Each structure stands twice: as structure tokens, then as C-alpha cells.
Amino acid sequence: DAKTTQPNSMESNEEEPVHLPCNHSTISGTDYIHWYRQLPSQGPEYVIHGLTSNVNNRMASLAIAEDRKSSTLILHRATLRDAAVYYCILTSSGGSNYKLTFGKGTLLTVNP
Amino acid sequence: EAQVTQNPRYLITVTGKKLTVTCSQNMNHEYMSWYRQDPGLGLRQIYYSMNVEVTDKGDVPEGYKVSRKEKRNFPLILESPSPNQTSLYFCASSSRVRQPQHFGDGTRLSIL
């Protein structure tokens, strides 16, 4: 199964941009890249996803490397509410295995 | 309101006493999944279901059973719970496996 690798933790200051990296060197051509985050004492929530092109939504931007072996979640202006664990996962559209592996994620700390 | 509902939210029980955690979604989603979350290990998938009567193992299926008799419900069954199943459990659903998942609020199980 394709796996992802993320730093254990990152730190940012409030109102500054944050770039959260994810490596997925064994990604297959049909795997989508999804990002979720989990705020303290809450269930995970969807942030953004993409296949090949960069994606933007109201929460964040997703930059996908040309070879798709890595991606970066961009929070344009971090707020204290963005402090969470961020998970990068791959989802397949083909084959018979639809298992999802979340990994340990990146703990983002936002300083006031 | 679109939601995934888990019950109970909290449960303390004893080793060997069968229990069921219910999960219901009102979004007509095809894909449903159960995760457990333990400190330092992130989210790990237990079982998933592509549709009614179609279920498969995730990363940590041992000691658990699931069923998908109706599209909206995906109960997690612990036939003979043991202390190593003490954990925080999340149910999630999505329209298809590649689509964003909606998570429930979690069920905290303590097996004594």
C-alpha cells in the first residue's frame, strides 16, 4: 500500500503562512491525496484533496509536486484555531483494496 | 443536518462482555469505515464497507466484527472485549472512497 511520511510536529506564528509537507514516493497514478485535520477533543475533519493539479478552497491550498511524490498543504494565514494534527492520506480509485491508512500526522502548534 | 452519529459516546465495561457501538449516517453514503485512535499511533482503520453487504478488513481488524445490512448503519461489534481494545473510536462515511469523509464525534471505550 502507498504510504505517506510527515514531520511529527511543526510550529508557526499566528497570521503567518504555514507549509505542511507530505511525502508519498510510492503513490500510484490513481491515488488521490487527501488532507484532514483533527482539533483537540474532536473527530477529524476534511480539509482538501487533489489528484494532479494544485487545489484551493476556503480552508487551504494544496500544492502537488509535478511527479506527485510529494505535496504541501498551505494555510495562508494561521490562526490559533488551526492548531491541530494534520493528516495526509492517499485514496485509491481502483483495484479491490480500499483500505485507508492515516499515519501519525503532523502536530501543528500556532503561537500567538 | 448531514451527520454521522455514534452511540454510545462513552462506555466503561469489563473484559469479555459483548458490546456494540452503533454508527448511522443520513447522507446516503456508500463508503463507511471504523477507526481507532491511540496515543502516539494516530488513526488506524479497523474495517470498512464499500456498500451494503460488502465489508473488508483495515489495518487492525483483530477482535472486531462489523456488519452492513442497511446503507445507513455500520455497527462495530466487540464479541469479547479485552483491555487492549480500550481506545477512542471513530466512524466515518463518504459518498465513495475517494470523496471526503465525514467523521462522527467519537466513542471512548474503556475495557477493564
Side-chain angles (χ1 to χ4, degrees), chain A residues 56-105:
Chain A
N56 300 295
N57 66 21
R58 63 173 180 80
M59 291 180 72
S61 296
L62 176 59
I64 301 172
E66 197 169 329
D67 63 5
R68 297 201 341 117
K69 294 184 185 299
S70 66
S71 61
T72 302
L73 178 70
I74 302 165
L75 307 179
H76 296 285
R77 288 184 66 200
T79 68
L80 296 179
R81 194 191 173 278
D82 291 322
V85 178
Y86 286 79
Y87 297 96
C88 165
I89 68 168
L90 305 179
T91 65
S92 174
S93 65
S96 61
N97 184 354
Y98 296 97
K99 183 171 68 172
L100 299 181
T101 300
F102 264 72
K104 299 179 186 180

